[in-house]
């Protein structure tokens, strides 16, 4: 009996990944997208066994990939007894339904997977409420579509089957729960706002960046706090704020949820209040994992998300972290500029960008004092502008 329990606890769900290759998308990008999806599956506790891709202009309206590809996936899933199939984009409610009917196993899309990871990681009441709200909002249209679809098929008075009224009931329950959660979030927001107001006008610095770049490691290093950091996606879901003092100058440093490509829209919406700290910050420290082969794409994703939440116009310090692990990679032999050494990259970046940047290793504690100095100078500058008569203090 005990042995059996042990076995089930150990069994990892197996997954097959599906992505489409749109025109203009390079093989390298496709590989990178699927690797990231695999990392997400791993973070959620699953094991990726195989990936399927298909070149197409745009996803099929009914089944996302073509029917031939779907048959190929079905044969594999059946033969290998795969537990779930994960799509790299958000599926429409009808795509989800059609694919589920065809494959007969659990279907997840990227949004659903991210929501699942968030749900497993949420710690505070605020994060839990935000994730639940996003999950219900994701679910709602998937019920509604099913409902209208049934209604159209049946029609006529007295034709309402029990299944249909059940969906209607579910829908009403979900809508009630959504408004309840929104109310709860409003209350939490109010409390947080009061807390933030009590923080005596200190300069606020926010760490932002793609997920897993080392934000929490930097937070811990600079503020000597202990924020949970690990090599998984979305280790941090809440915002932590710490008072930091560098050479007698106090300021606030915050660490928050990391961004990712194709972050589900509902989730960004629901996490807006967690990101208040970013929106209200005086300066952003944009942390980049310079050892990641596609860190420049990640920078763009972060900037897009900052635009989304209305925080793009702030002063930024760019921190290229993980310089210990940087490797000049030869992605394409015809494009030698992609083989830059760290030194060359530094020069190119500095030449093209006005905002200050620094290269560090939070893990190996390299260049940390220079980073502290940069941070200090920026905070002093902002402080002097805000409190012109106060500067004698520092
Ligand atoms: N090689 C190397 N690894 C690092 C460095 N800094 C952080 N890491 C590792 O990168 C992983 C992610 O670090 P975190 O600090 O959790 O990253 P994060 O940006 O807070 O991630 P999320 O909260 O998940 O968005 C951990 O395994 C760290 O040990 C560094 O300078 N070099
Ligand atoms: Mg973190």
């Amino acid at each position: 009996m005990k042995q059996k329990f042990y076995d089930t606890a150990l069994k990892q769900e197996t997954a097959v990944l599906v992505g489409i290759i749109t025109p203009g998308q390079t093989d390298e990008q496709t590989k990178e997208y699927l690797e990231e999806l695999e990392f997400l599956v791993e973070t959620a506790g699953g094991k990726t066994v195989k990936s399927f891709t298909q070149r197409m202009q745009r996803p099929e309206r009914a089944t996302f990939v073509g029917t031939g590809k779907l048959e190929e996936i079905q044969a594999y899933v059946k033969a290998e007894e795969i537990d779930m199939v994960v799509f790299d984009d958000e599926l429409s409610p009808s795509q989800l339904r059609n694919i589920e009917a065809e494959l007969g196993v659990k279907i997840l899309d990227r949004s659903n997977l991210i929501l699942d990871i968030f749900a497993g990681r949420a710690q505070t009441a605020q994060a839990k409420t935000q994730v639940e709200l996003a999950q219900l909002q994701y679910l709602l249209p998937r019920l509604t579509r099913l409902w209208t679809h049934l209604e159209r098929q049946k029609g006529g008075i007295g034709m309402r089957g029990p299944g249909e009224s059940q969906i209607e009931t579910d829908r009403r329950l979900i809508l009630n729960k959504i408004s309840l959660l929104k109310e709860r979030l409003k209350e939490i927001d109010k409390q947080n706002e009061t807390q933030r107001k009590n923080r005596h006008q200190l300069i606020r610095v926010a760490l932002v960046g793609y997920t897993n770049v080392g934000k929490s490691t930097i937070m811990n290093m600079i503020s000597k706090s202990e924020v949970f950091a690990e090599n998984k996606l979305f280790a941090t879901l809440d915002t932590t704020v710490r008072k930091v003092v560098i050479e007698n100058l106090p300021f606030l440093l915050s660490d928050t949820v990391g961004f990712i490509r194709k972050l589900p829209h509902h989730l960004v919406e629901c996490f807006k209040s967690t990101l208040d700290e970013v929106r209200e910050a005086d300066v952003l420290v944009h942390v980049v994992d310079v050892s990641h082969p596609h860190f420049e794409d990640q920078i763009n994703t972060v900037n897009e998300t900052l635009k989304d939440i209305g925080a793009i116009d702030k002063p930024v310090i760019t921190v290229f972290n993980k310089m210990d692990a940087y490797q000049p990679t030869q992605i394409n032999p015809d494009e030698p500029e992609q083989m830059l050494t760290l030194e060359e990259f530094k020069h190119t970046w500095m030449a093209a960008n006005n905002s200050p940047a620094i290269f560090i290793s939070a893990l190996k504690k390299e260049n940390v004092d220079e980073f502290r100095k940069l941070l200090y100078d920026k905070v002093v500058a902002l402080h002097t502008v805000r409190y012109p008569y106060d500067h004698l203090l520092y």
Side-chain angles (χ1 to χ4, degrees), residues 210-217 229-236 258 321-322 324-325 361-363:
Y210 211 76
T211 179
N212 209 42
V213 294
K215 297 178 295 299
S216 299
T217 310
E230 70 168 338
N231 191 19
K232 280 199 173 162
L233 300 180
F234 304 113
T236 312
N321 187 34
K322 307 200 189 181
D324 59 285
S361 165
L363 199 71

Side-chain angles (χ1 to χ4, degrees), residues 149-301:
H149 162 81
L150 286 173
E151 191 181 47
R152 220 183 316 118
Q153 268 192 347
K154 290 180 182 172
I157 303 163
M159 295 298 285
R160 279 170 187 261
E164 189 174 338
S165 66
Q166 183 57 50
I167 292 159
E168 248 183 294
T169 316
D170 286 354
R171 199 168 160 265
R172 220 170 301 128
L173 282 175
I174 291 180
L175 280 170
N176 284 343
K177 191 77 204 268
I178 287 181
S179 36
L180 195 86
L181 291 173
K182 281 186 175 163
E183 281 303 310
R184 201 177 293 162
L185 273 180
K186 250 192 232 153
E187 270 168 42
I188 299 176
D189 281 357
K190 234 186 275 165
Q191 291 166 7
N192 290 348
E193 214 177 293
T194 325
Q195 247 180 31
R196 287 202 299 270
K197 278 206 187 109
N198 290 340
R199 280 199 213 127
H200 308 296
Q201 303 313 308
L202 289 174
I203 298 293
R204 287 156 69 178
V205 183
L207 292 162
V208 295
Y210 211 76
T211 179
N212 209 42
V213 294
K215 297 178 295 299
S216 299
T217 310
I218 292 177
M219 172 79 169
N220 291 339
M221 180 182 80
I222 296 286
S223 73
K224 302 194 177 61
S225 56
E226 279 177 29
V227 176
F228 180 60
E230 70 168 338
N231 191 19
K232 280 199 173 162
L233 300 180
F234 304 113
T236 312
L237 269 203
D238 295 294
T239 302
T240 313
V241 185
R242 293 274 179 275
K243 188 171 159 186
V244 178
V245 183
I246 303 181
E247 298 194 27
N248 288 338
L249 176 67
F251 62 94
L252 295 174
L253 182 65
S254 70
D255 173 33
T256 192
V257 57
F259 303 152
I260 196 166
R261 198 175 61 92
K262 297 188 200 164
L263 198 61
H265 174 72
H266 291 319
L267 210 58
V268 179
E269 209 38 56
C270 296
F271 269 76
K272 278 223 156 113
S273 49
T274 291
L275 295 168
D276 277 347
E277 206 57 53
V278 173
R279 213 183 347 266
E280 295 173 10
D282 300 296
V283 55
L284 304 180
V285 172
H286 182 165
V287 183
V288 177
D289 172 359
V290 77
S291 75
H292 194 284
H294 295 277
F295 68 86
E296 280 167 298
D297 286 345
Q298 298 191 339
I299 293 177
N300 293 335
T301 302

Side-chain angles (χ1 to χ4, degrees), residues 48-49 60 85 133 141 146 163 181 192-194 216 235 245 269-270 282 331 334 341 345 357 394:
T48 299
V49 183
E60 283 294 333
V85 180
L133 180 61
L146 191 62
L181 291 173
N192 290 348
E193 214 177 293
T194 325
S216 299
V245 183
E269 209 38 56
C270 296
D282 300 296
I331 296 166
D334 300 331
T341 63
F345 175 73
Y394 306 109

Side-chain angles (χ1 to χ4, degrees), residues 9 35 39 57 63 65 150 203 222 247 268 278 307 343 368 374:
E35 271 170 13
F39 199 5
Q57 290 283 336
T63 48
V65 288
L150 286 173
I203 298 293
I222 296 286
E247 298 194 27
V268 179
V278 173
K307 210 182 285 166
E343 214 38 55
V368 174
L374 193 63

